[in-house]
Each structure stands twice: as C-alpha cells, then as structure tokens.
C-alpha cells in the first residue's frame, strides 16, 4: 500500500502531465495547509515549467490583501474563512494575481482546536479555478492535524486533475 507521501507524489506527477499537455500553469492559495500544496508541487523536479506561484494566506487580512477576498465574509454576519465563498474568491484571486491559468485554494479547520459545532475539526473547503471557471467542495477529514492537512493536499491535487481531465 502506498504511503500518503507516495500518493501525493503520484498525484503531483499526474497533475504535471495534465497541465503540461494543456500548456497551462497553476497557482495555489493556501490557508490550513500553510504552503503544503506548493511544497508538494515543487518537490517534483521541473515544476517551474507549470507551477507559477503560491499564496499562503493564513490570516483573514492576508486573504483580503493578497487575494482580494471580500472583507464582508469575515464580518459578524459573514460566512467566515472556512466557506465556499471564501475559497472560490481565493482561487480566482490566485489566478488574477499570478501568471497562472489554474489554481487551487484551501481553507479549513485542521485542529486540534478551532472547531465549532457548525465547522468541526476536519472541515475543509477546497476550490478550483480553471480559466475563470470555479467550483468548490466541502470535505470532512478525520484524524489529527497532520492527517487533515495531508488529506487536504491530496484532495486538492486530485480535484484539479479531475477537473482538467473533464475538460478533455
């Protein structure tokens, strides 16, 4: 059975093939993974051919400043950082503020604290943006902080691969 690291590496290699075949580059916009997706991507030699940049926007202020996320999402009656709206804006902001045509964005509660009844530890929103078209999905990952972050990285990569393949 492949280790988590091996599975992530295999997904990175597949993503590299998909992006290269289409002449696309990508960017990342990360919160709960703290740059882990970008680290996984750049572990592959030659990734500079298809990986443009990574934004680590851990704070709400960084999401606003670096990616253009609307501050209303973080107000008392807003939806919060861990939401469909925020990750979609993060993914679009990553494309708009880079030379990439595709992006993945993640925001979640990796734990061990920080969860709530509405958004327990393991709740992660992931968004993908390709050529201006965005989609997002909510995940509920089990395990400790490392397990949630690793599962988020894997799902983010596999989600982008699936969306690229669906485009043909």
């Amino acid at each position: 059975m492949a280790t988590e690291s091996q599975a992530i590496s295999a997904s990175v290699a597949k993503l590299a093939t998909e992006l290269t075949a289409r002449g696309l580059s990508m960017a990342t916009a990360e919160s709960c993974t703290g740059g882990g997706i970008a680290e996984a991507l750049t572990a592959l030699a030659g990734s500079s051919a298809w990986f443009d940049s990574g934004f680590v926007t851990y704070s709400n202020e960084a999401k606003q400043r670096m990616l253009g996320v609307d501050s209303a999402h973080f107000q008392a009656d807003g939806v919060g950082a861990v939401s469909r709206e925020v990750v979609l804006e993060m993914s679009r902001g990553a494309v708009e503020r880079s030379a990439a045509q595709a992006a993945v964005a993640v925001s979640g509660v990796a734990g061990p604290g920080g969860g709530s009844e509405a958004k327990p530890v393991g709740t992660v929103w992931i968004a993908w943006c390709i050529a201006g078209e965005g989609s997002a999905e909510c995940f509920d990952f089990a395990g400790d902080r490392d397990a949630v972050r690793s599962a988020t990285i894997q799902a983010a990569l596999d989600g982008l691969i699936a969306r690229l393949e669906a485009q043909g």
Side-chain angles (χ1 to χ4, degrees):
M1 183 174 196
T3 66
E4 289 176 3
S5 178
Q6 291 170 326
I8 288 171
S9 294
S11 292
V12 169
K14 173 95 172 137
L15 181 57
T17 299
E18 295 295 329
L19 289 165
T20 302
R22 291 163 176 75
L24 301 176
S25 65
M26 70 168 289
T28 61
E30 303 181 63
S31 187
C32 63
T33 50
I37 299 169
E39 180 181 19
L41 296 173
T42 59
L44 181 65
S47 58
S48 61
W50 48 267
F51 178 61
D52 180 72
S53 55
F55 299 86
V56 178
T57 56
Y58 212 68
S59 72
N60 293 343
E61 292 77 18
K63 290 173 182 65
Q64 294 168 66
R65 183 178 65 254
M66 296 172 68
L67 298 170
V69 174
D70 187 339
S71 63
H73 297 313
F74 308 113
Q75 305 304 320
D77 60 346
V79 295
V82 181
S83 65
R84 178 180 192 279
E85 294 83 353
V86 168
V87 293
L88 282 169
E89 286 188 22
M90 288 172 67
S91 68
R92 289 184 186 114
V95 169
E96 291 167 3
R97 289 162 169 79
S98 71
Q101 301 81 33
V104 61
V106 299
S107 186
V109 185
S116 67
E117 189 174 320
K119 296 175 186 175
V121 171
T123 303
V124 178
W125 275 95
I126 304 176
W128 303 269
C129 181
I130 303 170
E133 293 295 319
S135 62
E137 189 174 339
C138 187
F139 295 84
D140 181 21
F141 297 122
D144 64 10
R145 184 174 182 82
D146 288 340
V148 170
R149 288 164 54 112
S150 182
T152 300
I153 293 167
Q154 187 70 62
L157 297 172
D158 291 345
L160 186 54
I161 292 165
R163 282 156 178 80
L164 288 167
E165 289 177 338
Q167 288 187 339

